[in-house]
């Protein structure tokens, strides 16, 4: 099976955000948010009990605001860093036209500058989102397959099913 498609900078950003979430880095941030929320709640109660409702309201608003907006801000920071990296070093081989060749023994991912052939028994995994298939060739690299790239939704389904049948669970 062979599929041709284009990967955009936004696809590459989406891949990096997905891998960041999968790496578990978000768990530490969640713990920090919870500690911040508890600390803010404690200080808010302390200021309110001390007869300083203005400071209590300010701390309550700051605590809630940080807890609500920090996750989105974190995603924005990561996405911005990826875009800056690509801007600094160029996008050749990261975005542009790709060809994915799925054969019985190998997966081949071809860009304008490289051809990566990986045996199925060495493929790390398959990640699926509403908009993408990510075939993880190694723990640090993968084939980015945007579902929107195919006129027929069945194409991405066929790729997913073929890859699932070939990838051994780890």
């Amino acid at each position: 099976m062979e599929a041709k498609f284009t990967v955009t900078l936004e696809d590459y950003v989406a891949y990096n955000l997905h891998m960041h979430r999968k790496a578990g880095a978000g768990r530490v941030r969640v713990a920090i948010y919870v500690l911040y929320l508890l600390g803010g709640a404690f200080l808010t109660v302390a200021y309110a009990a001390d007869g300083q409702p203005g400071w209590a309201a300010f701390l309550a608003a700051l605590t809630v605001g940080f807890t609500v907006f920090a996750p989105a801000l974190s995603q924005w920071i990561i996405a911005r860093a990826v875009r800056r990296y690509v801007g600094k070093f160029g996008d050749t081989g990261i975005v542009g036209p790709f060809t994915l060749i799925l054969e019985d023994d190998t997966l081949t991912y071809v860009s304008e500058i490289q051809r990566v052939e990986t045996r199925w028994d060495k493929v790390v995994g398959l990640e699926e989102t509403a908009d993408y298939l990510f075939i993880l060739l190694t723990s640090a690299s993968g084939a980015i397959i945007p579902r929107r790239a195919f006129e027929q939704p069945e194409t991405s389904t066929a790729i997913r099913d073929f890859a699932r049948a070939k990838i051994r669970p780890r």
Side-chain angles (χ1 to χ4, degrees):
M1 171 186 315
E2 183 174 311
K4 293 181 182 291
F5 50 89
T6 299
V7 173
T8 66
L9 177 57
E10 292 312 305
D11 298 330
Y12 184 67
V13 168
Y15 171 75
N16 280 273
L17 288 171
H18 178 79
M19 296 309 290
H20 185 78
R21 282 189 296 274
K22 293 293 291 184
R27 288 186 214 127
V28 172
R29 275 195 316 273
V30 169
I32 291 169
Y33 300 154
V34 168
L35 290 173
Y36 184 84
L37 184 61
L38 292 173
F42 174 78
L43 288 174
T44 299
V45 170
Y47 274 104
D50 194 34
Q52 299 182 44
W55 279 108
F58 173 74
L59 280 171
L62 186 64
T63 300
V64 169
F66 176 81
T67 305
V68 169
F69 293 110
L73 180 61
S74 175
Q75 296 292 305
W76 179 82
I77 290 168
I78 294 165
R80 184 171 182 262
V82 170
R83 288 185 191 96
R84 288 183 71 172
Y85 175 85
V86 171
K88 182 176 181 178
F89 294 105
D91 63 4
T92 304
I94 295 174
V95 302
F98 282 83
T99 302
L100 180 69
I101 304 165
L102 307 177
E103 297 175 321
D104 283 334
D105 295 331
T106 60
L107 170 152
T108 306
Y109 194 54
V110 183
S111 74
E112 60 189 325
I113 64 164
Q114 67 182 350
R115 178 184 183 93
V116 177
E117 185 173 300
T118 307
R119 293 191 333 259
W120 282 110
D121 63 340
K122 299 299 181 188
V123 171
V124 173
L126 172 71
E127 300 285 335
E128 185 174 5
T129 71
D131 299 321
Y132 298 96
L133 294 175
F134 302 122
I135 300 177
L136 309 179
L137 305 177
T138 69
S139 60
S141 67
I144 302 168
I145 306 162
R147 293 180 188 272
R148 67 160 197 308
F150 305 109
E151 291 180 21
Q152 312 286 344
E154 299 82 29
T155 304
S156 67
T157 302
I159 292 170
R160 180 201 63 203
D161 293 346
F162 189 92
R164 270 192 189 155
K166 296 294 183 178
I167 297 171
R168 295 181 186 164
R170 294 181 183 249

